[in-house]
Amino acid sequence: MTPPLDISRRQFLTASAVTAGAALLAGCSPAATASGTQTLQFWHLLSGGDGVIMSSLLDGVNKAQDAYRIRPTVLAWGTPYYTKLAMAAAGGRAPDVAVMHATRVLGWAPGGLLDAWDLDRLAELGVDERTFPKPIWQKGEVDGEHLSIALDAHPFVLMYNTDICEKAGVLDSDGQLMRASTPEEFLDLVTAVAEASEGHGLSYGYLGDGAQMWRLFYTLYAQHGTEMKLPEGGEAEIDTDVAVESLTYMQTLLDGKLAAKQSDYGTAVAEFSTGKSGLFLTGVWELRTMQDAGIPFDVAPIPPIFGTPAAYADSHSFVLPHQTRPNEQRRDLTYQFVADMLKGSFDWATAGHIPAYLPVTESPEYQDLLPQAHYAEAATYVVYDPPAWFTGSGSNFQSEFGAAAQPALLSGSDPAAAIERFTSRVNRFLSQPNPADPEGSRS
């Protein structure tokens, strides 16, 4: 079985050795302008609408001061990005700062591919645990060190067409979606919306998309007040009863009337964006899509139908790729850059993401930003992938969940068998060493 990482251990070690020399040469290039302004190298993986807004934010911080200038490098999302960043970090002369998904950080920690953030240094700039929602701040800590600082949270949410939902009688006196508090109440709500819609009550695309299946499944799983634990070298600790109940509920929604039994992500986007369905389970990243579509819609957190508020999410986070001999002046300016980005992240919310910096989301201006303010509470109860070196956005872990779960969602076959298949695959992952861990590479 192929190790569930972007590259194999042998490929990683070989490529790292080759890249180290190139990285050292790259680090010798001038890093300051004639005026004394330091140039900071910043790698990220944001493209499309996110990329446009990120460029605008970078232009803003560049123009606001003369101490540093950001030189961004944009690489393809997923495997290409993480592979190149890992190899640059292994060479010891990586960019000054980079963006990673918070869920991918743990896999890098054992190999020393990331430098820890100095929390005292950040606190002097107005960035500390008091300025972040608790789960988002805590996600940045690995083995007692803070390895990432979140720019945002981008949770799974429930979008709804306000015209259709008004027709269905499921809006409250404020014109917002009634919040179901039990599985039965949510089914009743979706049923009412289905009767008022041209197509389905709920759009949810999942075919061939393990990440989509996982996002909804783990939201429902976490709403039971439990979490998965994946101890290194051990066996997965998964509450089978909760997992089966969560997957069974997904089957119930995909009955062909409430939601299409067979729908890929693009089809679900098209159905909701053209006004043919009243509800849409998706990520906040589709906010701009629906605004551009011109439909009347709002956004709500996924209701806590199993008792505990929870929403699957990830975070775009700032990391310090390892540098063998960091330039302390540029390192100081890197801290300043991150603080500037956090404090100026209001416009990042226009992409749909929830800014992680509380002074932004608690500001009067943000409360007037709609529909973003209607789902901002989700940042206080986001849940991330269970920590393990092989989990996270774009990982094979999520793909393997999809491979196990999709047959059950398509055919209505035994969800318990699907969970058993998934657990078996996770246990195989756990039996393999982290390719980025020097100790594991010798085993």
Side-chain angles (χ1 to χ4, degrees):
M1 177 178 175
T2 303
L5 192 67
D6 300 320
I7 51 179
S8 71
R9 184 182 303 112
R10 182 179 299 276
Q11 289 172 322
F12 174 80
L13 294 174
T14 301
S16 296
V18 172
T19 314
L24 286 169
L25 289 175
C28 295
S29 59
T33 66
S35 63
T37 301
Q38 292 285 331
T39 297
L40 302 180
Q41 304 292 336
F42 173 46
W43 287 15
H44 68 81
L45 70 176
L46 301 162
S47 60
D50 283 357
V52 172
I53 298 173
M54 176 57 70
S55 293
S56 177
L57 293 177
L58 295 178
D59 287 343
V61 297
N62 278 338
K63 293 175 182 177
Q65 44 70 50
D66 297 320
Y68 65 80
R69 181 169 182 80
I70 297 299
R71 180 180 294 167
T73 296
V74 184
L75 299 170
W77 192 96
T79 297
Y81 179 78
Y82 285 110
T83 300
K84 291 175 183 177
L85 188 59
M87 292 190 297
R93 293 293 298 226
D96 296 286
V97 61
V99 164
M100 285 184 66
H101 287 95
T103 55
R104 299 298 296 265
V105 169
L106 180 62
W108 287 39
L113 297 176
L114 299 176
D115 292 337
W117 291 92
D118 183 331
L119 297 186
D120 291 336
R121 228 162 162 178
L122 285 170
E124 292 174 359
L125 298 167
V127 176
D128 59 32
E129 61 182 327
R130 296 170 297 179
T131 59
F132 286 76
K134 185 176 180 180
I136 296 177
W137 180 259
Q138 289 180 335
K139 185 59 182 174
E141 183 176 320
V142 178
D143 295 331
E145 293 186 312
H146 229 84
L147 295 183
S148 66
I149 303 296
L151 172 63
D152 64 38
H154 38 278
F156 211 51
V157 292
L158 181 64
M159 295 186 176
Y160 58 99
N161 184 303
T162 51
D163 284 355
I164 294 174
C165 289
E166 181 179 23
K167 180 181 177 182
V170 295
L171 300 184
D172 62 21
S173 57
D174 294 325
Q176 296 183 43
L177 189 68
M178 294 178 180
R179 184 167 294 196
S181 57
T182 67
E184 293 76 21
E185 285 184 4
F186 188 67
L187 286 176
D188 289 343
L189 185 150
V190 179
T191 299
V193 175
E195 292 172 352
S197 301
E198 292 182 19
H200 300 95
L202 175 68
S203 293
Y204 172 59
Y206 71 94
L207 283 177
D209 192 337
Q212 269 294 98
M213 287 179 262
W214 173 254
R215 289 165 185 147
L216 179 56
F217 169 81
Y218 203 53
T219 294
L220 299 177
Y221 184 95
Q223 286 188 357
H224 288 78
T226 188
E227 60 181 331
M228 289 185 188
K229 295 182 180 179
L230 307 179
E232 185 175 356
E235 293 193 349
E237 298 176 16
I238 300 174
D239 188 318
T240 301
D241 291 340
V242 168
V244 170
E245 183 176 17
S246 300
L247 191 57
T248 300
Y249 193 75
M250 292 171 66
Q251 289 178 318
T252 302
L253 292 172
L254 298 170
D255 69 345
K257 178 182 178 182
L258 300 181
K261 186 177 286 291
Q262 299 184 34
S263 175
D264 60 25
Y265 188 74
T267 300
V269 170
E271 182 179 45
F272 185 75
S273 65
T274 55
K276 292 183 172 60
S277 64
L279 304 167
F280 182 29
L281 284 167
T282 186
V284 296
W285 49 85
E286 293 296 351
L287 179 69
R288 294 289 290 271
T289 303
M290 300 311 157
Q291 289 174 330
D292 291 343
I295 61 171
F297 80 103
D298 205 337
V299 186
I302 295 176
I305 58 177
F306 287 106
T308 301
Y312 174 80
D314 208 336
S315 293
H316 296 115
S317 299
F318 295 108
V319 296
L320 297 171
H322 176 63
Q323 294 186 353
T324 305
R325 293 182 296 275
N327 178 295
E328 286 306 314
Q329 183 184 9
R330 288 211 308 275
R331 183 59 59 98
D332 280 338
L333 292 172
T334 298
Y335 276 71
Q336 182 64 58
F337 161 65
V338 169
D340 290 345
M341 288 289 284
L342 292 172
K343 294 173 183 178
S345 59
F346 180 88
D347 286 347
W348 191 236
T350 63
H353 311 300
I354 304 173
Y357 195 62
L358 285 175
V360 171
T361 56
E362 293 176 348
S363 68
E365 293 80 7
Y366 192 88
Q367 302 313 307
D368 293 334
L369 183 65
L370 301 178
Q372 288 89 330
H374 287 165
Y375 59 82
E377 69 172 72
T380 65
Y381 49 73
V382 292
V383 291
Y384 297 90
D385 274 11
W389 66 264
F390 50 81
T391 62
S393 292
S395 67
N396 284 355
F397 169 78
Q398 295 182 354
S399 299
E400 290 289 359
F401 175 78
Q406 180 166 296
L409 297 178
L410 273 175
S411 67
S413 59
D414 184 11
I419 297 302
E420 184 178 354
R421 287 195 299 271
F422 173 61
T423 302
S424 175
R425 292 173 183 181
V426 172
N427 284 334
R428 273 185 273 173
F429 290 172
L430 287 169
S431 70
Q432 300 170 9
N434 182 348
D437 185 348
E439 295 299 321
S441 66
R442 290 195 294 267
S443 62

